[in-house]
């Protein structure tokens, strides 16, 4: 039995299509920028994100870090092994559970993350320098709100989960 969709609002539908195209294009550009700029420092974008999460949240267990990165345990383990080899993170026994380990960022990791962040911020400055201050603040507010709304929706499971077969197959003719 096929579920019926709520009544459509043509203006909202068109805005959703336009927003999808704009966000997809922006994400694609930033993925290439991040890959090109961050990899200059001999770490991956995912490794850089792990460093960011450790800077922002402090020491944490690998499982908690995996959750913040939206990665499985084995992928997170490989990310941490690479960062540990380069001395950007350290693992220590968890004081509350000797079987577990806590991941911390080292001074070298913190310095590298600061250098990468400064580089990326310089690039942002160049992107927005021609916008007037009001337009810059409005853009920041919209992007921030979209991030919060999308994160709340996508990480809560509302629109994530098994694909609906009706969306994957062409309608019967």
């Amino acid at each position: 039995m096929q579920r019926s969709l709520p009544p459509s609002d043509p203006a909202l539908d068109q805005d959703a299509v336009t927003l999808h195209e704009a966000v997809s294009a922006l994400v694609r550009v930033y993925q290439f920028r991040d890959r090109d700029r961050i990899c200059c420092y001999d770490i991956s974008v995912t490794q850089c994100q792990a460093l960011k999460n450790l800077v922002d949240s402090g020491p944490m267990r690998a499982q908690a870090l995996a959750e913040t990165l939206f990665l499985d345990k084995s992928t997170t383990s490989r990310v941490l092994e690479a960062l540990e080899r380069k001395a950007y993170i350290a693992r220590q026994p968890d004081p509350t559970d000797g079987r577990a380990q806590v991941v911390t960022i080292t001074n070298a990791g913190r310095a590298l993350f600061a250098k990468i962040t400064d580089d990326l911020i310089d690039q942002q400055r160049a992107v927005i320098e021609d916008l007037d201050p009001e337009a810059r603040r409005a853009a920041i507010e919209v992007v921030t709100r979209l991030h919060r709304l999308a994160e709340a929706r996508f990480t809560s499971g509302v629109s994530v989960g098994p694909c609906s077969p009706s969306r994957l197959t062409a309608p019967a003719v």
Side-chain angles (χ1 to χ4, degrees):
M1 175 181 229
Q2 190 169 3
R3 179 177 79 150
S4 63
L5 297 174
S8 182
D9 173 349
L12 178 60
D13 292 347
Q14 184 55 53
D15 287 347
V17 167
T18 304
L19 178 62
H20 168 74
E21 292 169 354
V23 169
S24 294
L26 183 63
V27 166
R28 198 168 33 257
V29 167
Y30 275 89
Q31 284 175 331
F32 286 117
R33 181 221 46 182
D34 288 354
R35 184 202 63 206
D36 291 347
R37 296 306 306 163
I38 292 169
C39 292
C40 290
Y41 296 96
D42 195 33
I43 67 169
S44 71
V45 173
T46 304
Q47 292 167 0
C48 187
Q49 188 61 48
L51 293 178
K52 178 186 184 333
N53 291 357
L54 290 168
V55 165
D56 291 348
S57 300
M60 64 178 75
R61 288 185 179 183
Q63 182 59 41
L65 185 58
E67 290 169 11
T68 67
L69 294 170
F70 303 108
L71 296 174
D72 62 39
K73 187 178 175 181
S74 65
T75 304
T76 302
S77 180
R78 288 189 299 276
V79 167
L80 293 177
E81 286 167 8
L83 289 171
E84 190 172 35
R85 250 189 337 271
K86 297 172 184 178
Y88 296 136
I89 60 123
R91 295 189 241 198
Q92 301 152 345
D94 186 330
T96 63
D97 181 354
R99 299 167 296 172
Q101 291 186 325
V102 173
V103 180
T104 59
I105 189 167
T106 64
N107 288 338
R110 201 173 288 282
L112 175 68
F113 180 73
K115 189 174 185 180
I116 291 169
T117 300
D118 289 346
D119 185 14
L120 297 176
I121 289 171
D122 283 345
Q123 289 191 344
Q124 289 300 92
R125 187 177 292 108
V127 167
I128 65 171
E129 69 185 347
D130 290 336
L131 297 175
D132 65 72
E134 188 176 312
R136 288 194 306 255
R137 285 189 297 277
I140 293 164
E141 181 182 339
V142 168
V143 170
T144 301
R145 287 187 68 198
L146 286 171
H147 165 253
R148 286 186 186 135
L149 292 167
E151 184 175 52
R153 183 166 186 86
F154 300 141
T155 60
S156 70
V158 170
S159 63
V160 180
C163 293
S164 169
S166 64
R167 292 184 180 249
L168 296 177
T169 57
V173 182

